[in-house]
Each structure stands twice: as structure tokens, then as C-alpha cells.
Amino acid sequence: MEQDYVIVTDSTANLPVHMISENGIRVLPLSYYVDGQKYQGYLQGENIDLSSFYARMREKKEITTSPVSMAAAKELFESLLQDGKDIFYIAFSSSLSETFFTVSMVLEKLKLKYPDRKLYAVDTLAAALGEGLLVHYCIENRKNGMSIDDNANWLLHHRLKLCHWFTVDDLFFLKRGGRISAATAFVGTTLNIKPIMHVDNDGKLVQVSMVQGRKKSLDTLVEHMKNSVLEPENQVIYVSHGDCPEDAEYVAKLVKERFPVKEVMTGILDPVIGAHSGPGTIALFFLGQER
């Protein structure tokens, strides 16, 4: 029997619109600003023109981001509680955003006001479609009758199995965000060096290695999957991209050739995360033995 509780996540989970609508998922939008103008990372029922967003990034427009507001979280959660719903909130990594802490404070206050309702907030320590893939599994768990208590525990016990492997094409954006030095960006750009990064057990984006050339960087992501993937025949694999669909399809094709996976889904990267990694970002997400 399907359980009657609402799954809430952030716009950074980058979920496809059809998955949101078909499963009654509620989304808290983070915000981004282009030359001072504010935009929402997601608006229920609306598609955002992400190609236009990445075009502005390529023009090196000034782009900043901000977490979910306390007011927006309170409005959404209180409306669900007034409808008699229990809430399972699946959050963007607390090491990359203040959103989890903001929402947790709201939920703690609401627990006092609605003592008969169940309210769970779990930090995925994940980002982008890594967060989204964990939401996908929690949706499947709920469809299979898993209770809200067991689903929250499942997520806590499996979140560090969710592997994220990233590369970027233009080091300018990592330099602008303070993740690499100007000297490293200059040398890397001159020599066509590409970073290989992942999200670690603390939910932080860290650099693991550097390789020469774009194709080599994409091949390396799949090599990391080879080294740690767990039961690929039972998995849906996610690939996200910063407005470079051909490269995403190349990685998806490699995955399909090398592993007997159930499905590979590709999608353009959420603007709040894309603002920090830039056009040309490619990320590969799967369940592994460890991150």
C-alpha cells in the first residue's frame, strides 16, 4: 500500500518536471541573480530557459545564488500540515548551502505546533542530480509501501553510497567561485587541463585529479564508475550537463556500453549549481560501494 506522506526537496535536486508532477513532489526553490536581477531555481509547473541562462554565463555575467528563504519554507510546510500530511524533506548538501539549516529551523518550530504530524529532514550530503537520484529512490520506496520513518532511515543509511563525479570545461567559473587559484586556472587553461572532482562524505565538492583534454576527462568519469559501482544491473544512472548535451550523450553511451544498467537519464544542470561550475560541466551519478 502506497504511503500518504509528501516528499519535499530543493530545486537543486534538478528533477525532471514529469517526475515532480507524477509523484506529487513539492519543490523549494533556491534563487539566483544575474546582474542583480532575481530568478527562482524552479517554479511549479514552469520550464526555465536554461540555454539562455548558460548563454549569459558564457558572456561572463555576474551571477550569484542564495538559499531557500525561511518564509518560503514555512509557507509550503504549513500548507501541507494543515492538509493533514506528514512531510519527508530531502535536502541539498549542508556543506554547499545554508538551505538545510534554514528549513530545519522551520520544521523544529512546526513540530511544536503540529505535534501529531511526522516531519523528517534529511541532509543528503549530495548535489544536483546526485540529490535527485536519492529522491528518485525515496519515491520508489514510497511507491513500494515504505513508511516515512523507514524511508528516512533508508536515506540516512544509503546517502554515502551516492557517488558524484564531475568535470568542467572552463576553469574561469571555479576560479571566480574561489575553488581554484588564478594561477591554477591560467596554467590549466593554457595546457588544456581539466579537473576531476567529486562530492565527498562531508558533502563538499573536492578536486581529486587533473587530466589533459576534454575527452580524457569524460572517459575518466566513467572509469571512476567502473572502480566503485554497485550492482549496476539494478540501477538508474543520471548524467547532468551545463548546456553541453552532446558530451552528456557521449558519457551516457559509454555507461551503456560498459555496464548493464537499467536506464541512463540525462538532464541540463540546475542554474543555482551551474552558476558555480559553468557551461560545459558534466556530472555522473550512481550508487557505489562508497563515495
Side-chain angles (χ1 to χ4, degrees), residues 5-16:
Y5 54 91
V6 178
I7 293 175
V8 181
T9 192
D10 313 299
S11 57
T12 49
N14 220 173
L15 295 176

Side-chain angles (χ1 to χ4, degrees), residues 28-287:
L28 284 168
L30 281 75
S31 301
Y32 63 99
Y33 303 78
V34 182
D35 287 342
Q37 185 172 350
K38 182 178 180 179
Y39 300 87
Q40 296 287 289
Y42 174 80
L43 293 172
Q44 199 86 22
E46 294 187 19
N47 289 312
I48 297 172
D49 183 3
L50 294 180
S51 292
S52 173
F53 165 76
Y54 281 104
R56 286 180 287 179
M57 285 208 77
R58 290 185 175 99
E59 295 169 2
K60 305 299 193 284
K61 296 285 187 181
E62 183 64 32
I63 299 177
T64 57
T65 61
S66 64
V68 168
S69 74
M70 191 170 286
K74 183 177 185 298
E75 180 181 3
L76 173 59
F77 290 132
E78 187 130 39
S79 69
L80 295 173
L81 291 166
Q82 287 173 353
D83 285 341
K85 302 294 187 181
D86 293 332
I87 296 171
F88 180 20
Y89 169 60
I90 302 173
F92 182 30
S93 173
S94 60
S95 293
L96 298 173
S97 171
E98 295 177 2
T99 294
F100 175 70
F101 299 114
T102 298
V103 174
S104 293
M105 284 191 289
V106 171
L107 288 176
E108 286 304 312
K109 291 179 180 178
L110 290 173
K111 285 178 182 178
L112 299 175
K113 188 174 180 181
Y114 299 89
D116 295 331
R117 300 262 57 85
K118 293 182 178 181
L119 292 85
Y120 283 97
V122 178
D123 181 358
T124 63
L125 301 171
L129 277 176
E131 178 187 1
L133 189 50
L134 288 171
V135 176
H136 162 84
Y137 282 113
C138 289
I139 289 171
E140 292 304 304
N141 289 342
R142 187 180 63 175
K143 285 180 179 178
N144 291 329
M146 188 176 286
S147 70
I148 187 172
D149 311 79
D150 289 342
N151 215 353
N153 284 328
W154 182 94
L155 181 52
L156 283 169
H157 285 95
H158 287 81
R159 60 185 177 177
L160 296 185
K161 302 287 188 184
L162 200 290
C163 302
H164 313 55
W165 289 98
F166 292 78
T167 189
V168 301
D169 196 39
D170 188 342
L171 296 174
F172 168 84
F173 300 98
L174 292 181
K175 181 197 74 174
R176 184 165 74 176
R179 296 198 176 273
I180 61 174
S181 68
T184 298
F186 175 77
V187 172
T189 301
T190 302
L191 299 177
N192 195 27
I193 299 296
K194 308 298 182 185
I196 304 299
M197 299 169 287
H198 85 134
V199 173
D200 67 11
N201 286 352
D202 294 323
K204 297 177 181 177
L205 183 61
V206 295
Q207 183 175 303
V208 175
S209 63
M210 302 283 275
V211 299
Q212 190 164 33
R214 175 66 164 176
K215 183 176 180 296
K216 178 65 175 175
S217 71
L218 302 181
D219 292 343
T220 301
L221 300 182
V222 183
E223 282 301 309
H224 279 293
M225 180 174 173
K226 177 183 175 182
N227 293 336
S228 63
V229 68
L230 191 65
E231 299 179 356
E233 65 277 6
N234 296 321
Q235 289 203 46
V236 174
I237 309 302
Y238 283 4
V239 179
S240 62
H241 64 89
D243 199 32
C244 50
E246 296 84 1
D247 288 340
E249 288 303 327
Y250 173 78
V251 171
K253 183 172 180 289
L254 277 184
V255 169
K256 291 173 185 175
E257 288 173 351
R258 298 187 186 185
F259 309 98
V261 297
K262 292 169 65 176
E263 181 186 355
V264 181
M265 189 188 81
T266 64
I268 192 165
L269 190 62
D270 164 77
V272 170
I273 295 176
H276 299 283
S277 58
T281 300
I282 290 286
L284 175 62
F285 308 97
F286 58 93
L287 290 176

